Amino acid sequence: MTNNHEEWMLEHEWQEMRRETGKVSDQRLDEVLWQGVRKASTERARRLSKHRTAKRLRITAAILAVVVAGGASAAGSRMLHLTPAKEQEWSQNQLPSYTERIFQEPDNFLQMVKQAAEHGLYHELNQSVNAGGYTLKIEGIAADNRRIIMFYTAENGNGNLPLRLSYNHPPKLLDGQGRALQGTFTWDVYAQLPKDQPLTQGVMVFDFDTPGQLPVSFQIETTWSQLKPEGSKEKTRTETLVAPVTLQQSSHAADLEERPIHVEINQGEQQVTFTKMVQSPLRTDLEFIYKSDTGTQMDKIEATLELVSKQISSKQRLDFHTMLRYDRTQLTPNGGTIYLTSSYYSEHRELWLNFYYASFQPNHEVEITVDPDKGTISDSPDAKILIKQVVEKSSEQSLELRLLYGSKQPIEDGYFELKDTFTDAAGQSHPLVQEYRAGKGTYLSIPNYRQYPGPYRFVIRKYEGNVVQMKEAEEQRIR
């Protein structure tokens, strides 16, 4: 099983799409997500090749390849402990050996953690908890004042299948009384292991918004279930494991650089301005503000940082990974923050900001009319909206439709968000089931459709045709 945290982001994005229709079972997620994630990853990687060379491209569906560049003078920046000396405890606190198997190619995340460990920010713990035959061992933790990276092994004592974190119950940080802390779970990744082993080894990442929120002692709550073979209907035990943790203090945990920047992107009625970069040993924040003359709210933004200019990297064979890996985005009504990995201790001091994409909430809904007998659209305000009947899955009891946008293959923008009911010719509303399948499009299912007179009217709330988008901008150096 190929595992990287970009795949987790894909899974997380899929869950966001499904959130309005309620929670889905962990087994359903295992069956659907793990099949679709890789396909979506492959399709998006092809889509992004125009932005990055094949040698370096490894960005998947949830982020669309955001590459960042920037240029600002050192004036006005604040740097603390930029090149501190290595601490002595490094020799006694080596990273777990499986960290080299987390990603399939050189990656800035691993380099960042190694450099942080060299400065005393990683400490071995080797602390285990168990319940119901499931065991969680915390190998060690890397931490600065804003981020925790937990290295762990989870073992299934009930069989030869590995354990997986519950998607409906993501990990939490708790205080000594079991109350939730301000730190939030960002992503998790599993290292590659031989098949049919009951071991899971990997990394969990937790983030705090600002320095000073991270306590010395806390608990990590995780919920696990056994990964089922595809198609299995066996009921799986779910167990919650809570491990107490005490962090060792490092003199470099408070290392921080704050740098004001000004990178402004104006496109049509939308404007995004990057205003600040904040970098600690384990995380880089890109802060930005935005405005839209139409008043629509931002939905997504994709940008990242590079250690060298794209013009240089496209011509030279570099022996290091240049992109600071994308981790998460936090949006506010008038701005937000993009979390990336860090180059705090890197010998490569340049930083280039590349803006690739931003989208805003839809400014109108679209209604289409479908002939259920033919399985075709009879009326639509957008000719690029296509619908096809899935004949092999349709029956007298159920109508299965596949909704697409444009005729491009592979499908790049096949996600639609519809109202969860449709209206028949008599003006009556009835439920429908919608499901997005990565790389294939959006599928609609209408049970017992023969009892409803056609044509049917569907309301599309969100799709590429009604989402305002900002496109790629020229790179700029910020350091």
Side-chain angles (χ1 to χ4, degrees), residues 265-418:
I265 298 102
N266 287 286
Q267 295 181 13
E269 299 174 316
Q270 282 70 42
Q271 176 181 300
V272 172
T273 304
F274 292 91
T275 59
K276 183 191 288 188
M277 182 200 75
V278 182
Q279 192 170 76
S280 57
L282 298 176
R283 196 178 85 204
T284 302
D285 296 1
L286 274 176
E287 298 181 13
F288 64 91
I289 57 176
Y290 68 83
K291 67 177 183 179
S292 170
D293 292 344
T294 60
T296 55
Q297 293 297 304
M298 180 176 285
D299 181 49
K300 293 180 182 179
I301 184 170
E302 294 167 355
T304 192
L305 291 167
E306 290 277 350
L307 298 175
V308 297
S309 167
K310 290 190 296 182
Q311 297 181 9
I312 299 297
S313 60
S314 63
K315 296 177 182 179
Q316 297 184 10
R317 191 179 184 88
L318 302 174
D319 59 357
F320 60 94
H321 191 71
T322 65
M323 188 187 77
L324 302 194
R325 180 178 288 266
Y326 170 94
D327 283 348
R328 77 188 297 179
T329 301
Q330 292 187 316
L331 294 178
T332 67
N334 299 303
T337 305
I338 299 172
Y339 287 179
L340 307 168
T341 53
S342 178
S343 62
Y344 191 90
Y345 297 124
S346 173
E347 67 272 26
H348 308 287
R349 303 312 302 158
E350 292 184 11
L351 282 174
W352 294 78
L353 185 142
N354 277 268
F355 170 85
Y356 271 100
Y357 176 87
S359 65
F360 293 76
Q361 291 291 338
N363 53 16
H364 66 283
E365 294 182 339
V366 170
E367 185 176 277
I368 63 172
T369 303
V370 174
D371 183 337
D373 295 323
K374 297 179 180 179
T376 58
I377 294 177
S378 56
D379 185 47
S380 171
D382 188 340
K384 294 180 70 175
I385 300 175
L386 306 174
I387 216 167
K388 296 181 180 179
Q389 183 175 0
V390 185
V391 178
E392 64 273 17
K393 293 189 176 182
S394 296
S395 65
E396 288 296 316
Q397 290 75 38
S398 178
L399 176 63
E400 305 287 334
L401 301 170
R402 183 185 182 194
L403 195 57
L404 306 169
Y405 191 68
S407 57
K408 294 177 290 186
Q409 295 290 338
I411 297 166
E412 298 175 349
D413 300 291
Y415 171 64
F416 291 77
E417 181 182 307
L418 289 82

Side-chain angles (χ1 to χ4, degrees), residues 146-257:
R146 306 190 305 160
R147 168 166 283 191
I148 295 172
I149 302 175
M150 186 182 81
F151 296 80
Y152 67 89
T153 295
E155 184 171 4
N156 179 13
N158 301 321
N160 63 352
L161 293 172
L163 299 179
R164 291 293 181 258
L165 286 167
S166 169
Y167 298 101
N168 288 326
H169 304 281
K172 297 179 181 178
L173 297 180
L174 310 173
D175 65 12
Q177 287 71 50
R179 297 169 299 194
L181 294 173
Q182 293 174 302
T184 54
F185 175 64
T186 297
W187 57 266
D188 169 77
V189 58
Y190 308 128
Q192 295 185 28
L193 293 173
K195 295 181 179 179
D196 301 325
Q197 284 197 9
L199 288 179
T200 300
Q201 294 178 316
V203 170
M204 297 182 199
V205 178
F206 300 84
D207 281 297
F208 289 78
D209 292 342
T210 60
Q213 296 177 321
L214 175 59
V216 173
S217 298
F218 54 91
Q219 301 179 88
I220 294 177
E221 179 185 283
T222 57
T223 302
W224 302 84
S225 60
Q226 177 179 288
L227 180 64
K228 293 183 180 180
E230 183 179 348
S232 172
K233 296 182 180 179
E234 177 186 357
K235 188 175 181 179
T236 298
R237 177 190 291 115
T238 297
E239 296 288 349
T240 297
L241 304 177
V242 180
V245 171
T246 298
L247 295 177
Q248 295 186 37
Q249 295 297 298
S250 167
S251 60
H252 297 300
D255 288 357
L256 194 74
E257 174 191 0

